[in-house]
Structures are given as structure tokens and as C-alpha cells.
């Protein structure tokens, strides 16, 4: 499954501490142009994609732009040094351009937006 809205190292790279030691629930939202399922996953109630972007282990790819901006400003993870964004690397190495991941329909887009807003709200309440 491709993580919806991010471009990130694979779990085999060792950059995946968020989904260890808990129950992971994934919600599939559609398919990308390669036929891969797109979805978001949570472990212990935390959105893994959001966490990966927030800690600099992934870049936003259609979602989490504000989260990425905060990670970049803090200089965490990938933002601690120089790196090439995955989209730029693919273009430079002769791979096809890929558009950001999107959901299949407008109802799914609204549902995802509401889910993101509620997740952020509850996370801020939990951090208080």
C-alpha cells in the first residue's frame, strides 16, 4: 500500500518507529496510477503519515503541507541537511512525473479533510 499524501523511505529503511508496538489500522481511499492502494494508517490513534512528515522522515505529497513547513522550519529529519525531493529525483533520473496522490471522489476528499481536522484538534487537546 502507498501511504496517501506523502513520499517517504520504505519501512525496510529503518525509518519507521511509529508503527512498532501497537495495533495499526489502515483506511484505503483509492488507487494511484500504478494500481497501488492509497490509504492512511494509524497506530495507537496517531496518523503515521502525519508523524513521518512532522518528524522529517517524509515530505508532503498532496497532504500535510503545514506539517511539512513546520518540520522544515525546525530543521528535523530530512530537513537537517540537504536532500533531493523524491519528485525531483524521479525527474532527474528519467522516471515519469507523478502527480500528488488524490482520492477517487469529492466525497472522499471531504471526508479526509474532516478526518484530518478532527485528528489535529484531538491531538492538540491531548498535547494540552
Amino acid at each position: 500500500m502507498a501511504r496517501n499524501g506523502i513520499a517517504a523511505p520504505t519501512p525496510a529503511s529503518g525509518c519507521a518507529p511509529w508503527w512498532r508496538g501497537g495495533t495499526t489500522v489502515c483506511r484505503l481511499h483509492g488507487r494511484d496510477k500504478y494500481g497501488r492502494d492509497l490509504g492512511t494508517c494509524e497506530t495507537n490513534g496517531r496518523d503515521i503519515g502525519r508523524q513521518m512528515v512532522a518528524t522529517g522522515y517524509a515530505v508532503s505529497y498532496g497532504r500535510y503541507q503545514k506539517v511539512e513547513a513546520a518540520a522544515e522550519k525546525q530543521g528535523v529529519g530530512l530537513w537537517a541537511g540537504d536532500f533531493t525531493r523524491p519528485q525531483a529525483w524521479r525527474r532527474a533520473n528519467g522516471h515519469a512525473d507523478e502527480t500528488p496522490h488524490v482520492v477517487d471522489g469529492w466525497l472522499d476528499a471531504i471526508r479526509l479533510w474532516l478526518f484530518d481536522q478532527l485528528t489535529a484538534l484531538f491531538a492538540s487537546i491531548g498535547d494540552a
Side-chain angles (χ1 to χ4, degrees):
M1 178 186 84
R3 289 163 292 235
N4 190 28
I6 67 171
T10 62
S13 68
C15 296
W18 303 276
W19 54 78
R20 292 187 191 131
T23 300
T24 299
V25 177
C26 296
R27 292 174 187 85
L28 302 181
H29 307 299
R31 292 184 184 271
D32 65 10
K33 69 180 185 177
Y34 302 108
R36 297 176 298 192
D37 289 321
L38 291 175
T40 55
C41 296
E42 291 182 357
T43 297
N44 300 326
R46 298 193 77 163
D47 180 332
I48 295 170
R50 181 182 298 279
Q51 284 300 114
M52 291 179 74
V53 173
T55 55
Y57 282 101
V59 295
S60 176
Y61 199 53
R63 298 177 77 181
Y64 313 121
Q65 288 90 357
K66 290 180 184 177
V67 175
E68 180 184 288
E72 182 178 10
K73 184 176 181 180
Q74 294 169 6
V76 297
L78 296 166
W79 301 106
D82 294 327
F83 73 98
T84 303
R85 293 184 74 90
Q87 300 89 326
W89 184 91
R90 284 191 289 273
R91 277 192 299 272
N93 288 280
H95 297 275
D97 250 356
E98 187 173 333
T99 57
H101 298 144
V102 294
V103 292
D104 289 337
W106 65 273
L107 283 176
D108 279 340
I110 292 170
R111 186 174 53 80
L112 285 174
W113 180 83
L114 285 171
F115 179 78
D116 285 346
Q117 300 305 307
L118 289 171
T119 299
L121 174 65
F122 290 129
S124 69
I125 292 169
D127 292 340

